[in-house]
Amino acid sequence: MNKHVIVIGAGVAGLEAAGQLSRAGIDVSLIEREKMTGGHLNDWFKLFPDRRDSREVKDYLEKFTNNDGIKLLAGIEIEKIINGRGGVKVTTSEGKELIADALIVATGFDLFRSSRKEEYGYEIYDNVYTSADLEKMFRKGKISLHNGKSPETIGIVHCVGSRDEKVGNLYCSKLCCVTAVKQAIEIREHLPESKVFCFYMDMRMGGAMYEELYREAQEKWGVNFIRGKVSEAGEDINNKVIIKVEDTLAGRPLKMELDMLVLMAGMEMSEGGRKIAGLAGLNAGENRFFAVTDQHYGSNRSSVKGIFFAGTCTAPMNITETISHSRAAATEVISYLNNK
Amino acid sequence: MQFDPFVIPFNIGLYFIITYVVVRCIIWFRDLSRPDKLRLQRGFFGKPFGESLKEIFLESLIHRKILKSNLRLGYMHMSLAFGWFLLIFFGTVEADVFGDHHLNAPYKAIFFRFFNPDHGRTGFESAYGFLMDLILAFILSGLLLAVTKRFYSRVVGMKKTTKLKITDRIALTSLWMIFPSRLLAESFTSGAYGNGSFMTGSLGAWFSTFLPVRELAYPFWWLYSLSLGTFFVLLPLTRYMHIPTELFLIFMRNSGIRTGDKPGTYSEVQTYSCSSCGICIDACQMSFAAGINTMQSAYLLKAIRKNDDVSHMAQNCLMCGRCDQKCPVGIELSPIRMIQRRMEDSENDFRTVYKGYFRSQQRPEPVKPVMPPSFGFIPEAEPKKVDVVYFAGCMSHLTPGIKNSMVKILNASGLSYSFIDEAGGICCGRPMMLAGLDREARELINLNSQLIWKTGARTLVTSCPICYKVFKESYYLDVEVLHHSQFIGNLIRENTVKFNFLRKRVVFHTPCELGRGSGVYDEPKEVLSHIAKLEKSKFEDQNSLCCGGSLGNLKIDSRDRIRIATQTAAELTKGDPDILATACPLCKKTLSAVTGTRVADIAEIAAEALVIPRQQRNIAKQIRIIKELADIS
Amino acid sequence: MDKFGYTISKGRQIDYDSNDRRIAEYIYEREPSFRLCIECGGCSATCTTGNFTRFSLRELNILIKRGENEKVRQNIRKCMLCGKCILVCPRGVNTRNVVVLARQAFQKSDDYAV
């Protein structure tokens, strides 16, 4: 009889892990709470650093998982997880019980809810948006303000909900800097007359080809970078957003009137992941993402036997890293099943 | 004349303490300011005298307030204080009635049974003896609780008990020995003479079966006298000084004397009136939420008495005022702490010097360097004339939801108003004050006062309870100062603005500065129950919690703040309300960071419920049309 | 003046070795969070005083740390202690206490100097 593995979450991590397992001849049940697979890929238009369409990655992942060895259960919640001697028993919201030899948790991340940084006025002022809102506009092919007009000056705030003790997130989300640079370029592509300003604390361009993208943004697209944390935003009678920031390199406070303010929301442990943590008795680490047994060689292992992690449910990662991490999870599961 | 050498320690102690207390009171009286002297004289010879006596009976003897808040702890204090009082009172009567003479020296009453060992044979005498035994048993039961409390404080229902210094330990031991040694001395004497009542008598009879009670009695009378003598002599150096001091405090308070902002007799008397009962420690969130047990009021007062450096302690406090509310002695704890904070500032040079039994204030001529104004850079403004001034406050600029809501409500009210710090104003001065920097606070107050005065406004509305408190207390303005919750309340009452009823369950968090700080409890709740379904919580009004964000604490680190905030939010959202409402931008920011429940200011909820007058809606529509037309052209 | 050649003017560089960093040490000891600052400038941006005059807490912090005390001494009393900076600081620096301690440290060093 074939081995059976349950994968929770059908985003990038879940899809890749499921695909790899089924290639190895293992039966996979892929459970997703949303109706659609692909996770955050569905909300993003183009990906950094090469700015290819996110659909291409999604197509690859879905083709990879479109086979008989993988049973997709979409639009389904998990109600119960029991880890016993015979394997892992998962009860779904439909009352169905699934028994598997191992479980991969790939619950991903949630974007930081930007209204929690009230001083930036998201959901209070008309022309404050998040990076996710902007992606939707890119997909539609039109960047517009609340009143339908095109913005001329756009400010991008880095580190919204990351590296911020005040919202309880001490960690760096890693992706927001490069997302900001990517989105700044895209804005300039769409609106050649516009001016874009990035407000950053540190530019963390540590991935492959990130620094090159940063240079391109400066050289080719004339994006302005100002080092300082935006402390607060206000709104004037013309619905313009007025921000307060210190230009720390010039050593002077800077006040600027913007048509549009875009907040680079960070990554947080997903609410779905927290639920699974509760059901399966998994530990959260200091940053509330799942705690892995070892940062160096155990980044897919949980403290519970037979349960493994894949992707951003353990830490912020980009897509490349997520896919590698998921493949590693599949390898871990296969060796676990062979030695069981 | 009956006399025995063993009474000498007691006599020394008693006359010493009486002399000491009298001298001390004279010094205190001398140090009072002239108006306070007059107040005390009028209070002592006037109507407040009766009230003071009543209060002394209820609080110093019965300990009514402690009884109310904690029955077992109250019983402990009551049995010792009231019991001892009864023992002295009835003992004196006993010596007077049954002794050789009338009007005896005090030791005759205290050691009555030693001098009258044969007493207690007739019916009346034995009934009286029964009463005396009963009182002693009453005290001993309290003592048993006290001893257990020392070793295991939960027995009396307290989480924490105060820590002791060495003189306190000796005094405490001698205090503990007083009543057991009396019991044993009386029992042995009764055993030897075959009399005594239900306790001393039966105990004595039992002892006499296996002990040489006649020989043992005398050393125990010595022990009894020594314990009393030691206790009295050490009294001024220990916290037990609170016993005589509290009487003086009650007279002063009922005469209308208050703490003020400089150290003086009243603050000193209060400092000595603290019995270290520990109720303030149990009330303190720094203790039960953040696990910090070093800075509570009882410790602060003790450190002041010891003349320790209290600067860190004084500043490491949220100034939430929970302990002020709960102190059974009625000590004005926050004002005393504020005095200590002011003493930090070199511009306020008042020092106290400790001299053994006598502590007196040396007030060297304050070396006041003539400081240039700190805020000379602030330009003069020319505000427009209006009826209502809206001052959002510094913090509200970080909570745009609050100031936007207030603008909406003010617009709907149709009043002529100006949002005076819309582009950022200057600080109200309270944070400076909380840091003990009064002169600079006064500078800010003057600057703001000028600005407000220039508007000619009749009403000043603020969104920040910190500003509200200082506007109310320290600004000399001829305007009505309102917190926005009161302002909205007025709009509702006068029916100027209409509000819908929101189908949302709301629980209200009273901000410290608004509630305990300024006494505004009901108005916010009235507003909330008008516009939503207001639910009760365990921590309301006087018993409300601090959010942890307080500007009162200069020292607390962010982790401990989060600990306090998390617990407060958890307590308030126990009933799973839709909204955790508050009336302070600082509380809102602090609480919303630690809870999943929606946290909203009362102004935001009111703005949500606001019915925009038809007329204004039309105007808004027309403005939009004009704007659009302007764009087209 | 006909003497040419290279001379280094004193005010040009931070003389880290000979600068007096005792003020910084005084604050580090009493307010460890002072070390956490990453110079993001959030405090200066939101600053109530900074709205009216040149006053940057971020700048003063770094100057104290480098022992460049004079500018700090001249400006530190401009702070109104309103506490907005505490609410903004992403590192949880207890900024108000830093100001209070800096004032105290200068006061004490002035007292010794007399």
Side-chain angles (χ1 to χ4, degrees):
Chain A
M1 206 183 111
N2 266 359
K3 297 276 188 191
H4 177 213
V5 174
I6 295 172
V7 177
I8 302 175
V12 174
L15 289 169
E16 178 65 26
Q20 293 293 345
L21 288 172
S22 92
R23 263 197 183 183
I26 294 168
D27 288 342
V28 179
S29 299
L30 182 57
I31 305 177
E32 168 61 49
R33 68 166 11 171
E34 302 293 331
K35 290 251 155 55
M36 216 183 355
T37 62
H40 288 280
L41 274 182
N42 297 315
D43 307 329
W44 241 245
F45 178 41
K46 281 182 177 169
L47 305 175
F48 57 76
D50 54 357
R51 307 212 325 273
R52 72 180 326 167
D53 196 317
S54 63
R55 279 180 185 155
E56 291 173 32
V57 178
K58 201 187 159 196
D59 285 348
Y60 148 78
L61 288 168
E62 278 170 356
K63 231 175 259 167
F64 191 47
T65 49
N66 190 12
N67 65 52
D68 292 342
I70 300 175
K71 202 160 84 192
L72 176 69
L73 302 158
I76 277 171
E77 293 273 348
I78 289 170
E79 299 299 333
K80 214 190 238 175
I81 298 173
I82 296 167
N83 199 6
R85 194 168 289 218
V88 190
K89 192 167 86 181
V90 169
T91 313
T92 67
S93 51
E94 292 173 323
K96 221 161 113 185
E97 281 185 0
L98 299 167
I99 296 172
D101 301 293
L103 182 73
I104 291 183
V105 178
T107 44
F109 68 93
D110 282 349
L111 271 185
F112 174 78
R113 200 159 45 79
S114 296
S115 56
R116 277 169 63 196
K117 285 298 281 180
E118 188 180 348
E119 52 267 50
Y120 293 151
Y122 185 62
E123 289 173 349
I124 298 174
Y125 304 142
D126 288 339
N127 291 318
V128 180
Y129 299 89
T130 64
S131 43
D133 298 335
L134 199 59
E135 288 293 332
K136 281 193 199 106
M137 293 188 200
F138 290 151
R139 176 73 76 190
K140 269 195 279 178
K142 187 174 188 305
I143 305 170
S144 59
L145 294 171
H146 186 71
N147 61 9
K149 284 196 215 156
S150 292
E152 282 166 20
T153 50
I154 297 106
I156 296 180
V157 184
H158 292 226
C159 297
V160 177
S162 312
R163 303 181 71 200
D164 190 347
E165 180 254 10
K166 290 293 172 309
V167 295
N169 295 344
L170 298 182
Y171 56 88
C172 166
S173 293
K174 272 177 42 177
L175 313 182
C176 337
C177 279
V178 62
T179 303
V181 171
K182 184 207 71 147
Q183 293 193 337
I185 293 175
E186 285 171 295
I187 292 170
R188 294 280 290 124
E189 274 179 338
H190 274 87
L191 308 165
E193 300 301 310
S194 65
K195 289 193 179 73
V196 181
F197 301 87
C198 285
F199 298 95
Y200 66 97
M201 298 203 286
D202 293 294
M203 288 299 286
R204 298 201 162 170
M205 308 301 282
M209 299 305 289
Y210 289 8
E211 190 65 22
E212 287 77 355
L213 195 70
Y214 181 17
R215 280 180 67 103
E216 185 191 327
Q218 293 176 293
E219 201 173 17
K220 192 168 165 198
W221 303 103
V223 177
N224 303 286
F225 290 89
I226 298 175
R227 190 191 175 278
K229 183 180 171 67
V230 175
S231 70
E232 67 214 71
E235 191 181 41
D236 71 4
I237 37 168
N238 301 317
N239 281 13
K240 292 213 174 206
V241 183
I242 298 155
I243 54 150
K244 277 176 146 189
V245 63
E246 188 192 20
D247 187 333
T248 58
L249 300 180
R252 299 280 291 276
L254 184 147
K255 201 168 141 184
M256 195 187 269
E257 216 181 72
L258 297 163
D259 295 327
M260 176 187 254
L261 189 68
V262 185
L263 309 178
M264 290 297 125
M267 295 164 90
E268 281 189 320
M269 173 64 162
S270 66
E271 189 246 310
R274 278 208 293 276
K275 184 181 165 191
I276 299 298
L279 292 177
L282 296 166
N283 298 328
E286 208 159 280
N287 295 325
R288 301 191 308 283
F289 289 101
F290 282 117
V292 297
T293 55
D294 189 285
Q295 284 296 338
H296 299 277
Y297 49 77
S299 73
N300 295 105
R301 295 180 204 153
S302 78
S303 54
V304 179
K305 205 178 146 218
I307 300 184
F308 298 85
F309 299 127
T312 53
C313 62
T314 61
M317 289 176 196
N318 65 18
I319 289 175
T320 318
E321 289 162 340
T322 304
I323 287 178
S324 307
H325 196 252
S326 307
R327 285 177 189 164
T331 313
E332 287 271 19
V333 169
I334 290 164
S335 80
Y336 167 77
L337 295 179
N338 288 341
N339 295 317
K340 205 177 162 185
Chain B
M1 179 170 167
Q2 290 175 317
F3 182 79
D4 193 281
F6 85 85
V7 304
I8 294 171
F10 165 76
N11 276 0
I12 294 174
L14 182 70
Y15 294 119
F16 166 76
I17 192 66
I18 289 172
T19 321
Y20 177 79
V21 168
V22 170
V23 172
R24 189 75 179 253
C25 286
I26 292 169
I27 294 175
W28 275 335
F29 185 77
R30 194 197 59 195
D31 280 353
L32 278 175
S33 68
R34 239 190 99 69
D36 279 348
K37 269 183 196 153
L38 286 172
R39 281 192 189 103
L40 189 60
Q41 280 166 10
R42 210 174 311 144
F44 201 81
F45 299 108
K47 204 181 128 209
F49 185 77
E51 284 164 28
S52 300
L53 281 188
K54 190 179 145 199
E55 196 181 330
I56 287 170
F57 179 74
L58 285 175
E59 300 307 335
S60 302
L61 296 178
I62 305 283
H63 291 89
R64 185 183 52 155
K65 280 188 194 139
I66 307 187
L67 273 170
K68 265 190 198 162
S69 72
N70 181 335
L71 201 66
R72 274 172 293 177
L73 186 71
Y75 178 80
M76 184 190 104
H77 281 262
M78 178 178 74
S79 65
L80 284 171
F82 189 51
W84 202 357
F85 169 77
L86 290 177
L87 202 65
I88 294 166
F89 179 75
F90 284 104
T92 311
V93 173
E94 190 180 32
D96 197 64
V97 174
F98 305 112
D100 316 336
H101 309 282
H102 296 294
L103 292 173
N104 297 290
Y107 72 83
K108 289 268 185 60
I110 303 298
F111 308 112
F112 180 76
R113 185 156 288 279
F114 178 84
F115 294 112
N116 304 282
D118 248 350
H119 177 76
R121 306 235 182 251
T122 69
F124 181 63
E125 279 176 7
S126 78
Y128 205 95
F130 181 83
L131 175 70
M132 294 301 284
D133 258 23
L134 197 64
I135 296 169
L136 186 60
F138 176 52
I139 299 175
L140 285 168
S141 68
L143 189 65
L144 195 68
L145 269 177
V147 176
T148 346
K149 171 183 177 248
R150 197 42 37 218
F151 299 110
Y152 189 63
S153 52
R154 278 181 195 276
V155 173
V156 287
M158 299 199 49
K159 288 177 213 97
K160 294 276 172 329
T161 190
T162 44
K163 294 169 209 132
L164 292 181
K165 56 176 183 169
I166 186 78
T167 36
D168 271 333
R169 264 178 216 284
I170 301 174
L172 186 67
T173 317
S174 53
L175 175 65
W176 284 356
M177 301 240 299
I178 291 170
F179 300 103
S181 60
R182 176 182 171 121
L183 174 71
L184 290 173
E186 286 198 334
S187 299
F188 289 142
T189 307
S190 306
Y193 288 85
N195 57 3
S197 190
F198 73 96
M199 191 167 65
T200 48
S202 33
L203 211 56
W206 179 63
F207 279 136
S208 64
T209 58
F210 62 96
L211 285 173
V213 286
R214 192 171 296 271
E215 289 72 30
L216 271 174
Y218 190 61
F220 275 92
W221 284 109
W222 262 98
L223 185 66
Y224 180 37
S225 168
L226 268 171
S227 310
L228 282 165
T230 316
F231 180 68
F232 288 149
V233 171
L234 285 180
L235 191 77
L237 296 178
T238 67
R239 61 192 178 121
Y240 300 103
M241 191 56 197
H242 80 87
I243 300 167
T245 317
E246 196 187 337
L247 312 182
F248 198 59
L249 171 68
I250 290 173
F251 279 113
M252 290 180 83
R253 185 172 47 225
N254 286 337
S255 308
I257 297 173
R258 293 293 172 266
T259 306
D261 50 13
K262 287 192 198 91
T265 296
Y266 192 62
S267 63
E268 196 175 318
V269 167
Q270 289 186 96
T271 308
Y272 279 88
S273 294
C274 168
S275 66
S276 300
C277 69
I279 286 179
C280 55
I281 305 173
D282 269 7
C284 181
Q285 286 175 271
M286 291 288 285
S287 170
F288 69 75
I292 298 166
N293 288 304
T294 49
M295 41 52 69
Q296 280 76 14
S297 297
Y299 296 129
L300 178 75
L301 296 182
K302 186 158 80 174
I304 297 173
R305 291 196 298 264
K306 282 168 70 185
N307 218 38
D308 286 348
D309 177 14
V310 296
S311 65
H312 187 274
M313 219 186 216
Q315 290 182 333
N316 191 15
C317 164
L318 300 162
M319 302 299 285
C320 69
R322 281 174 62 83
C323 55
D324 289 72
Q325 291 288 332
K326 304 224 159 134
C327 177
V329 187
I331 302 174
E332 297 177 343
L333 298 165
S334 295
I336 290 178
R337 204 178 275 269
M338 282 310 305
I339 289 176
Q340 296 301 322
R341 290 186 181 193
R342 277 185 211 104
M343 284 164 81
E344 278 300 293
D345 188 10
S346 54
E347 287 176 38
N348 302 323
D349 205 349
F350 19 74
R351 248 171 256 152
T352 49
V353 172
Y354 188 62
K355 293 192 217 151
Y357 276 93
F358 286 99
R359 196 186 129 91
S360 75
Q361 269 139 22
Q362 282 197 337
R363 292 208 189 80
E365 274 305 297
V367 202
K368 265 199 187 160
V370 184
M371 295 299 293
S374 296
F375 307 113
F377 53 82
I378 293 166
E380 252 183 67
E382 290 304 330
K384 63 173 187 196
K385 297 266 177 203
V386 284
D387 293 337
V388 178
V389 164
Y390 173 55
F391 185 94
C394 298
M395 297 295 179
S396 307
H397 288 281
L398 294 173
T399 53
I402 297 179
K403 54 176 188 177
N404 277 21
S405 302
M406 277 311 291
V407 168
K408 261 188 217 163
I409 293 167
L410 281 158
N411 283 339
S413 75
L415 293 162
S416 108
Y417 78 94
S418 104
F419 185 169
I420 205 163
D421 60 340
E422 186 167 16
I426 60 172
C427 176
C428 62
R430 174 112 178 111
M432 252 4 302
M433 235 177 220
L434 282 167
L437 305 167
D438 277 18
R439 183 192 59 78
E440 287 164 277
R442 187 47 66 188
E443 247 185 79
L444 293 174
I445 289 173
N446 290 342
L447 287 163
N448 271 324
S449 298
Q450 278 173 24
L451 183 68
I452 295 161
W453 177 75
K454 278 186 193 165
T455 62
R458 295 284 186 78
T459 310
L460 170 61
V461 182
T462 179
S463 283
C464 176
I466 303 169
C467 305
Y468 174 74
K469 186 173 165 71
V470 75
F471 280 145
K472 263 305 232 208
E473 287 177 3
S474 311
Y475 279 62
Y476 305 108
L477 284 170
D478 191 21
V479 298
E480 182 189 20
V481 180
L482 295 175
H483 179 257
H484 69 224
S485 57
Q486 296 172 309
F487 176 71
I488 297 168
N490 287 353
L491 294 180
I492 294 174
R493 229 166 291 128
E494 291 157 11
N495 212 8
T496 330
V497 177
K498 289 204 166 45
F499 292 94
N500 291 317
F501 186 82
L502 303 171
R503 296 192 178 282
K504 281 185 176 143
R505 294 186 303 118
V506 177
V507 71
F508 182 59
H509 164 70
T510 308
C512 300
E513 295 276 68
L514 193 63
R516 283 181 298 264
S518 311
V520 179
Y521 292 109
D522 297 333
E523 284 139 307
K525 292 203 287 187
E526 279 162 20
V527 171
L528 282 173
S529 42
H530 183 76
I531 56 178
K533 192 170 178 302
L534 180 66
E535 300 202 333
K536 282 206 175 304
S537 81
K538 212 175 114 193
F539 296 94
E540 285 204 352
D541 301 342
Q542 274 92 344
N543 192 33
S544 63
L545 294 168
C546 172
C547 68
S550 167
L551 284 184
N553 195 327
L554 281 152
K555 300 294 173 190
I556 188 173
D557 76 16
S558 55
R559 289 184 193 93
D560 290 328
R561 280 193 194 278
I562 290 168
R563 254 173 232 144
I564 294 173
T566 308
Q567 202 189 58
T568 301
E571 285 293 345
L572 290 168
T573 53
K574 264 189 180 156
D576 201 21
D578 298 315
I579 301 173
L580 171 52
T582 183
C584 168
L586 188 51
C587 294
K588 188 193 171 193
K589 269 210 109 16
T590 317
L591 292 175
S592 58
V594 295
T595 176
T597 309
R598 182 184 162 206
V599 182
D601 190 275
I602 196 164
E604 293 172 283
I605 305 172
E608 217 175 294
L610 188 68
V611 182
I612 298 201
R614 186 177 303 264
Q615 210 180 349
Q616 276 188 19
R617 252 180 289 170
N618 291 342
I619 292 171
K621 204 171 163 188
Q622 268 159 16
I623 289 173
R624 209 176 325 124
I625 293 169
I626 292 167
K627 270 192 181 173
E628 275 163 18
L629 285 172
D631 280 340
I632 293 164
S633 62
Chain C
M1 200 164 114
D2 51 12
K3 206 177 117 193
F4 284 94
Y6 300 105
T7 48
I8 293 168
S9 83
K10 266 220 148 177
R12 193 188 65 86
Q13 64 192 6
I14 295 172
D15 192 347
Y16 195 80
D17 297 326
S18 59
N19 272 2
D20 179 8
R21 290 191 306 281
R22 278 177 303 178
I23 304 276
E25 295 298 332
Y26 182 88
I27 301 171
Y28 285 144
E29 198 184 303
R30 289 160 183 81
E31 185 52 69
S33 72
F34 182 45
R35 289 185 189 273
L36 290 174
C37 175
I38 51 169
E39 303 289 318
C40 72
C43 49
S44 311
T46 198
C47 182
T48 303
T49 296
N51 216 6
F52 294 96
T53 184
R54 257 193 101 158
F55 176 84
S56 163
L57 188 57
R58 179 200 57 77
E59 189 189 4
L60 299 187
N61 277 352
I62 199 78
L63 289 177
I64 293 175
K65 287 176 183 175
R66 300 291 177 264
E68 298 278 298
N69 295 334
E70 205 34 52
K71 188 172 180 185
V72 187
R73 183 196 303 273
Q74 285 164 13
N75 285 285
I76 196 77
R77 295 178 83 93
K78 290 181 183 169
C79 169
M80 300 179 191
L81 289 176
C82 74
K84 267 181 96 183
C85 44
I86 291 192
L87 290 191
V88 167
C89 181
R91 278 303 184 100
V93 178
N94 190 359
T95 45
R96 282 175 86 225
N97 198 30
V98 169
V99 173
V100 168
L101 288 171
R103 286 175 61 129
Q104 246 173 41
F106 282 119
Q107 189 64 50
K108 283 187 181 169
S109 71
D110 288 352
D111 287 350
Y112 287 126
V114 168

